[in-house]
Every structure is written in C-alpha cells, then in structure tokens.
Amino acid sequence: MKINKYLILPLIAACSVSSCNYMDYNDETDLTENFVLSRIDYSRRLATEIYGCIPSGYNALGGGMFASATDDAEHSNDLSNVQKYNNSTWNQYSNPDDKWSHYYSFIQKANLYFEKTENLEQLNYDEYRWNAPTTYFDNKWNIYFYDAEVSFLRALCYFELMKRYGEIPIMEKYNNVDDEVTAQREPISKVMETISKDLRYAASILLEDWKVYIDYEGNITTASASEKIDLSKRTGRPTKGAAYALLSKAFLYAASPLFNNGQYNTEYCDSAAYYAAKVFDMDIYELEPNYSDLYKTGQFYSKELIFERRNANSNAFEISNYPISIDRGAGNSSNGGTCPSQNLADEYEMLNGDKFDWNNPVHSSNPFANRDPRFKATFICNGDIFNGHKVETWDDGVDGKNVEKGTKTGYCLRKYVDPNLDLKEDKTSQHLWYLIRLADLKLMFAEAANMVVGPNTSLYGYKAIDQLNDVRDRVGMPPKSAGSSEEFSEILRHERRVELAFEDSRYWDVRRWNIGGDVFSKDLMGLEVIPQGDGFIYKPRLVEKRTHEKYMDLYPIPESEVIMTGFNQNPGW
C-alpha cells in the first residue's frame, strides 16, 4: 500500500506552526523530523496530538448521533448525512463515517513517535539533570508514561479500524512520503495480536489512578514529601484499568459473530472475560449510585468511569438537541435533532420487571409511568418540564412534528443533554464522552463469560448473571434469571440496549452480532400524541421505512484505497 503523503506531512507541520518562537534552528535549513523530535517539548506535543484519535459521539455523524442510524432514534434533519444509513445510500464511494485515513494518520504519528524519540532520556539527562533537577525528574517520568499512552492510543486506532472494516493492514513502522510500502489486509487474529501487544505493554506501565504523588525514583509517596512529582495533572489520560478494559472490549468484538461466520470465538470470549475480571479485581471502580447523575456535565470523578473523552466547554450539543421551541436568542430556535424512537421506548420494562405492552390498557393509557428509571433519564416526554419549558410533542404542539425540525417521534433526548443552559446567554458546560464505564464492562464480561461457561458458572471469580444483575440493581430493577446461554443472550442484548442507549453501543452491537439485516431494516416507530379533553391518548405510529442489508454490518473499504492498493473489497460491496 502506498501511503498517502498527506497523512505524513502534517506531522511535522503541527510541531512547527504552533511554536516557532521556541525553536532554535537556522531558517535557511530544512526543518527535519529528526530535529523536531530531538527536542523534549516537541516530542511531548506530538504525543499529546495523538490524543486527537479518541472518538466522541456528540454530533459525530452528519451533525447527529450514531443512534439516529439505528432503531433507537431518528434525526430531525432529513438532509443530515446520518440518513444515508437509514435508506442505504451509503457505499464505498460515500460513507459518512469513513475513518480509514483518519485512524491510519494517527497510527503514523504513533509510529513516528516511537522511532524518532529513542534518545529522549539521554537528551533529558544532558540538558536538565544538573541544571534543573526538578525538571529532569518530571521529564523523566513523563517520557516513561508517554510511551505507554502512545501504545494505548495506537491500539485504540487499530480497534476502531477493525470494528469498522474487519481485516486491516498493520503498519509496523513510520513511512516517509518517498517510501514505497507493500501492505496487506491482515486477519483478525493478527490484528488482535497487535492490539493485545500494545495494550499489555501499556498496562504494564500505566498506574491505576493518576491522583497520586511519586518520588524521584517512581515510588508512590505523600503530598508532604520534599521531593515529589504530582501526577494529578495526568487525570483523564489512560490508566491500567483503561488498558485492561479496552483489551476486554477488543477481544469481545473480535469474538463476535460478524468476524466468525455467525458464531462466537470462545477463545477470544475467554480473553475478554479475563481482562474484564482484572479490572474488577482492582476494586477501584464503582457503579454511580444514581444513573441520571452519570450524565450531568463535568462528571470527571465518577468512580464508574474507566475511560472517557473530555471535551472543551460548549453548548453545541444542546443547540442540536434541545426541544425545538426553546429559544436560543436572536430569533433562533434549538434544533431538536436526536429523536428517540418508540422501538427503543418499548424496550424499557415496567418497574416490576414486566415487559411494556401496548395491549395492556394500564400501560398504554400512560406509557411514561412506572417504567425502568433509565427511561426518564434518557427520554424527554410530552408534558415534561425541561429547561423551564413545558414540552409539547403532539403534532401541532410547539415541539411537534408539524413544526420545522420538531420531533418526528414524539420524544426528545434527555441523556447527555445539560438541562440548565441558558442558550440566549450562550452559556456552555463541559461534556464527557464515555468510551468505557463499569456498567458497560460488566455487561461485556457477562456476554463473554456466558459464551464460555454459561450464565450461572463462575469464570475468573465472577458469574455472568451476577454482573448483569448488578447493573439492574443500581436502578432498582428486579434481578433476572436464565437457565441457558441462549436465554441469557436475549436478556443481555436487551440490557445493553437500555443501559447504554445513546452511547454508540447499539450501532456497533447490532453489527458485531451480525443481525443488522433483520434489526435495522425494521420500521422505525414513534409515538402519536393525541390531545383529548384535559389529557392525551398515546399510540405507536410509523415514522420511517428503513433498509439495511446484512453485508452492511461491515463497512466497505474506501474505493480509492482499493484502486490504489488492489485490496479485495469487503463482501457485498
């Protein structure tokens, strides 16, 4: 594969543009990679830049969420690129989520970092050891941890590529613009070897928690120590738990039916369970007591979070998703973007664990009452007070579908949305995007362990059924039981959909289970809200006919890449 030069040139440009006042070079001399990376500060900037690979699901797909390309939601904007997935007009020429070049560019940066920074420790010693010992020791441990962080991030890039495209090339070294590179798509086993190697290395170095002090020899010490380095500024970076959790997630995806001819790979399932259990054994993560509190802005220190992306202060997500009638000033309304579906709403059980049933008059007369608490933590419903505003989702209501960009489904999104921003004053808040949290890991363990030993047998000290019921117990839902792996799988898939709604899991879960042809081709349903006297009548109604072929569970390789490399295209494309 010939590496695109545009994936390489920005590596040096990024180091040179932002900081030329610090550079000590003759501007008549070409700025070379070796020069840039012979400086500790520039190497640090490159390592930090690789963090740009961490995905965020806020408005990530045509201004919408991945959920709007699933049976969980519809986007209010018919022209959004997310609609291409719903009507099957995406392909190898036009894929709104084509990330092939994106992630390989970060892999290139990671490879560059490792190949050109071998002498940093000696450079640090020569420049700072005797002139500025505090700076020397701070640099020493930063260099040590950066190696692990870059390994973690490179593994994350390979994982993001694998889950989209399946078999992918492994780029084992940095390639310059003049290099002619021959590469081939490697089997999932080879991809997993690469991911596992990077993450096991990262886990061997990264700490369980960054809110600590270390002494100059790298030992945990106290705040009162005279010679210490405060690592709390590293909070938000990958930890040992994050490395093990990503290992578990990668092995579970690689074990899934999409990559194994419709079956589970039990060897990979065993590995997924093993690494999840290593995180449980740390005993430092806990489920957030109140599910709704997870989605308050700025939840940096929740013990449930294992790895997240921390975004800058913004109100873009609120502008996109507040009910349409909420004024944001200057004659502009909000966009009401992500509209949760009735398909998803019907998945939420009654408080006693019964399935919701439209044929039950008690259920249908008030479909918002006595439901799994996660329902109201996720949905804004007709009549709710939100941001000081009473939401009206009937057709002619101020938030209804007869208003431009009004809700198409009878619901608006509550989860992840800050309800307290004054958009007229352009107020903002900080949002976290969860890549892995403890509830997700418990359900991943449960899925993997069930495939190895069933739901009720211990594996690495934990049972699948217990991990799933821990997640339900957090919200006060009654425990489940299952007598077989098949029965448990149905329960598990339901629980993942409800617990992880609007966290991108549904989009990838359905694909890796290789059931997209059945699930994503079903009609998308909404809620018809009919005013009657002082109340309302509620009933489901069709929102949109959807199409999705089974082969679409795996992304196509970009056609430009196929032409350039001769790679075989994924089946069906």
Side-chain angles (χ1 to χ4, degrees), residues 10-25 31 35-53 106 109-110 112-113 117 120 128 139 142-143 146 149-150 153 234 237:
L11 305 184
I12 302 307
C15 294
S16 61
V17 170
S18 63
S19 53
C20 57
N21 55 316
Y22 294 108
M23 297 179 64
D24 180 17
Y25 72 105
L31 183 61
F35 178 85
V36 170
L37 294 166
S38 68
R39 296 286 298 269
I40 292 172
D41 47 353
Y42 297 129
S43 297
R44 182 185 297 119
R45 288 181 186 133
L46 176 57
T48 302
E49 186 180 335
I50 299 170
Y51 273 84
C53 75
F106 284 107
K109 292 175 185 180
L112 176 67
Y113 178 86
T117 59
L120 281 185
Y128 297 110
N139 285 342
N142 269 315
I143 292 167
Y146 274 137
E149 291 169 36
V150 172
L153 295 170
R234 306 186 70 83
R237 296 174 184 266

Side-chain angles (χ1 to χ4, degrees), residues 288-515:
E288 186 72 29
N290 187 329
Y291 180 81
S292 295
D293 286 348
L294 271 172
Y295 305 100
K296 292 179 179 178
T297 57
Q299 282 290 89
F300 298 120
Y301 300 114
S302 170
K303 291 185 178 181
E304 183 161 344
L305 304 187
I306 299 175
F307 188 57
E308 73 282 353
R309 178 182 174 122
R310 301 183 174 195
N311 295 325
N313 277 30
S314 172
N315 57 21
F317 191 65
E318 284 68 34
I319 289 172
S320 294
N321 290 288
Y322 267 16
I324 190 67
S325 61
I326 294 181
D327 183 11
R328 58 188 178 96
N332 296 313
S333 64
S334 304
N335 292 330
T338 302
C339 309
S341 70
Q342 191 60 47
N343 310 56
L344 175 59
D346 288 348
E347 282 287 310
Y348 292 82
E349 298 167 354
M350 306 303 291
L351 272 175
N352 63 1
D354 289 347
K355 289 186 176 181
F356 178 82
D357 184 1
W358 280 105
N359 294 317
N360 183 324
V362 176
H363 295 184
S364 59
S365 63
N366 188 353
F368 315 142
N370 300 314
R371 304 292 292 275
D372 180 328
R374 292 172 291 190
F375 174 75
K376 289 307 291 281
T378 304
F379 287 67
I380 299 174
C381 304
N382 182 60
D384 284 354
I385 303 299
F386 183 85
N387 197 249
H389 161 85
K390 188 172 184 179
V391 177
E392 302 177 357
T393 66
W394 65 89
D395 288 359
D396 291 323
V398 293
D399 303 297
K401 76 181 188 72
N402 291 343
V403 180
E404 184 182 4
K405 297 182 183 178
T407 174
K408 294 182 178 182
T409 65
Y411 299 105
C412 298
L413 180 66
R414 184 185 300 273
K415 192 173 184 178
Y416 271 128
V417 177
D418 186 340
N420 301 313
L421 292 187
D422 185 342
L423 297 184
K424 288 188 288 186
E425 296 294 328
D426 201 28
K427 298 299 184 182
T428 63
S429 59
Q430 188 166 20
H431 297 70
L432 308 184
W433 182 257
Y434 302 152
L435 277 299
I436 308 177
R437 56 185 177 89
L438 183 59
D440 185 10
L441 190 64
K442 282 177 173 287
L443 295 177
M444 287 192 283
F445 174 91
E447 181 179 350
N450 179 53
M451 291 299 156
V452 179
V453 297
N456 303 307
T457 301
S458 180
L459 181 63
Y460 300 114
Y462 304 92
K463 294 180 181 179
I465 191 69
D466 292 342
Q467 297 305 306
L468 182 142
N469 282 330
D470 282 351
V471 174
R472 291 176 60 83
D473 182 66
R474 183 253 296 274
V475 292
M477 292 300 291
K480 292 287 188 180
S481 62
S484 68
S485 291
E486 292 75 18
E487 182 183 5
F488 184 80
S489 289
E490 290 302 311
I491 296 170
L492 181 282
R493 291 182 179 190
H494 157 83
E495 200 63 30
R496 283 191 64 82
R497 186 178 187 184
V498 168
E499 173 70 23
L500 303 170
F502 299 97
E503 296 181 43
D504 288 357
S505 291
R506 181 68 173 174
Y507 183 89
W508 299 112
D509 281 349
V510 168
R511 283 175 157 78
R512 68 181 177 86
W513 293 331
N514 207 192
I515 57 175

